[in-house]
Amino acid sequence: MNDTSPQPLRIGVLGAARITELSLVGPARTTGHRLVAVAARDRSRAEAFADEHDVERVVDSYADLLADPEVEVIYNPLANGLHGPWNLAALAAGKHVLSEKPSASNAEEAAEVLQAAAKAGTVFMEAFHYLFHPVTRRLHEILASGELGELRRVETLVAIPAPGDADPRWSLPLAGGAVMDLGCYSLHAVRMLAPWAGGAPRLVCARGGERPGAPGVDEWLDAELEFPGGATASARCHMAYDGLQMSCRIVGSQGEAFAPNFVLPHRDDRVVVRTADGERTERLGTRSSYTYQLEAFAAHIRRDAPLALDAEDALATMTLIDEAYRAAGFEPRPRTAFAG
């Protein structure tokens, strides 16, 4: 009997970021995909990462990783400002790319990523993993079913306690800020409701606060949006909050659905639905959203299965991020000058 199972992806990892254990290492082990190689600025860090996570080998540089013929997929979890440059380089090298969000520092750079992906003919996906988990899928199903009536209001909040002052998420040259790290989820989740709201939302207004000691970097930002069908939305983020909040509330004319943690549903997999018939809580499972994401990415590459996220979607999100920054009195993030 012939083995017709798809071949595992052969993945190369840029850097030795902490998020990679959750976002890629665990999911790859679960799904059987190969971590072929890793590169880091400090080779000793790459070696330690490879030893700890069973990466097959270490290469000397990011450029070597991109040139490696055995690597077919590049995973990019670098600092925000390095997403754009290395996404462009990976696409130019003919690799598929799974990039941590956001895809670039600003909309101009995201447009270049879109062009590069079209030229390469390879798959580019921004890692909005939450979209693949049954929690978010169920929110969409409930809205589509008509149980909540017509969409009236969406409220998203993504907030965490403050990282340390030296954290690159507070660095303007590395495209840091609350919207880049957290608000991109809030805005993206709102954007994904367009099919039930008459089309894509437009930004109405935004306000935000600067991080003390980090000129030009947003500590928090609240955006208000409106859909063509008349529904409104708030997309809020805060990177110096008094706790962790990652909620999404969808309000209709006949009820509402609430997910306490749509971004990290492995921590809380509830969807609470309230209508005139009463209240119920659905549990959708604590399997990692990153595992669902890797499965969907691989299925698209190996079997051409549909994929909800691409470079065009990434550009739309980045354009909205830039608009929110300008409306709140900030400048869009500058491109990172040093990418080597």
Side-chain angles (χ1 to χ4, degrees), residues 222-270:
D222 296 345
E224 285 288 325
L225 304 99
E226 185 177 41
F227 291 98
T232 62
S234 66
R236 301 170 56 208
C237 61
H238 204 305
M239 208 157 68
Y241 206 60
D242 58 3
L244 187 145
Q245 293 287 332
M246 297 184 170
S247 61
C248 177
R249 185 184 305 275
I250 297 175
V251 181
S253 57
Q254 298 176 21
E256 68 175 55
F258 176 70
N261 194 335
F262 78 100
V263 177
L264 298 175
H266 65 276
R267 295 189 176 191
D268 190 338
D269 65 337
R270 290 176 297 157

Side-chain angles (χ1 to χ4, degrees), residues 40-188:
R41 296 182 188 279
D42 180 344
R43 185 181 172 91
S44 64
R45 285 192 66 218
E47 290 172 345
F49 183 92
D51 288 343
E52 181 178 359
H53 300 303
D54 298 322
V55 181
E56 295 174 21
R57 51 193 168 81
V58 174
V59 296
D60 288 334
S61 68
Y62 297 165
D64 289 338
L65 189 73
L66 269 54
D68 192 317
E70 193 175 13
V71 172
E72 62 174 331
V73 173
I74 294 295
Y75 173 63
N76 183 354
L78 301 172
N80 289 340
L82 299 178
H83 290 171
W86 286 106
N87 289 341
L88 290 168
L91 291 166
K95 309 297 186 182
H96 303 297
V97 178
L98 177 61
S99 173
E100 280 305 322
K101 45 74 197 165
S103 65
S105 294
N106 53 51
E108 180 183 31
E109 192 173 46
E112 292 180 20
V113 171
L114 171 59
Q115 294 166 0
K119 182 178 180 180
T122 54
V123 177
F124 177 87
M125 191 177 92
E126 193 174 27
F128 278 115
H129 54 96
Y130 81 93
L131 192 65
F132 300 95
H133 195 276
V135 162
T136 293
R137 287 166 42 205
R138 184 61 180 143
L139 286 174
H140 293 176
E141 288 172 359
I142 293 168
L143 182 58
S145 74
E147 181 180 6
L148 305 182
E150 294 184 1
L151 181 64
R152 295 283 176 81
R153 177 75 173 167
V154 183
E155 297 173 348
T156 57
L157 169 63
V158 184
I160 62 171
D165 290 341
D167 193 288
R169 285 173 286 182
W170 295 125
S171 168
L172 184 62
L174 288 175
V179 177
M180 298 293 281
D181 193 59
L182 306 172
C184 55
Y185 284 110
S186 299
L187 291 168
H188 193 268

Side-chain angles (χ1 to χ4, degrees), residues 299-324:
H300 182 68
I301 291 174
R302 291 290 184 253
R303 303 194 303 272
D304 200 28
L307 191 65
L309 302 174
D310 57 17
E312 186 172 350
D313 181 79
L315 174 57
T317 298
M318 199 70 242
T319 299
L320 191 55
I321 288 172
D322 284 3
E323 290 175 357

